[in-house]
Amino acid sequence: MRIIKTLLLACATTVASLPAAATAKAPLGQVKEINDGLLAVGIADEIRKTCGDIDARMITAYAYLAKLKSRARSLGYSEDEIEDYVTSKDEKKKMRAKGEAWLEARGVTLGQEAGYCRVGREEISRGSQIGALLRAR
């Protein structure tokens, strides 16, 4: 028992002596898992708004967003940090630019419905995260 207490004390002392930078969290916008998930939601939303033949799976989308939020909390981010990230105008601009670049890389001409519909159907067929958030009418 004494050995366990000694080991725990040694671990606690080591952790306490680590520099703050080593234990600090990265900004939420740099957490790939969260950022990629929100990007998928944004792209799916843009596809469903632009393509008249595709709808959103709203319950699936809300459940996925709740899962992302829960994951962010499990990584140690507070409700305020999460809210600040998802409502940040700068982060929204970055996310829009990434989404538009992704769509253009897939051959979509921004604002032209046909490309959004084609990519939406492809994503649904692939069963990707974007496709899971969409359904053909």
Side-chain angles (χ1 to χ4, degrees), residues 36-96:
D36 288 354
L38 290 174
L39 180 61
V41 171
I43 291 170
D45 189 48
E46 198 64 27
I47 290 170
R48 71 109 186 152
K49 287 190 301 187
T50 308
C51 177
D53 294 335
I54 294 179
D55 284 325
R57 294 181 183 272
M58 295 305 287
I59 294 171
T60 302
Y62 287 129
Y64 184 63
L65 287 170
K67 179 181 166 187
L68 289 174
K69 185 175 185 179
S70 176
R71 179 65 179 139
R73 282 194 307 256
S74 76
L75 292 171
Y77 294 91
S78 70
E79 292 292 326
D80 287 342
E81 288 172 313
I82 295 167
E83 184 67 19
D84 289 346
Y85 173 64
V86 298
T87 60
S88 165
K89 289 182 181 183
D90 287 339
E91 291 297 333
K92 286 180 183 181
K93 284 180 187 175
K94 289 178 196 175
M95 193 65 68
R96 175 163 285 287

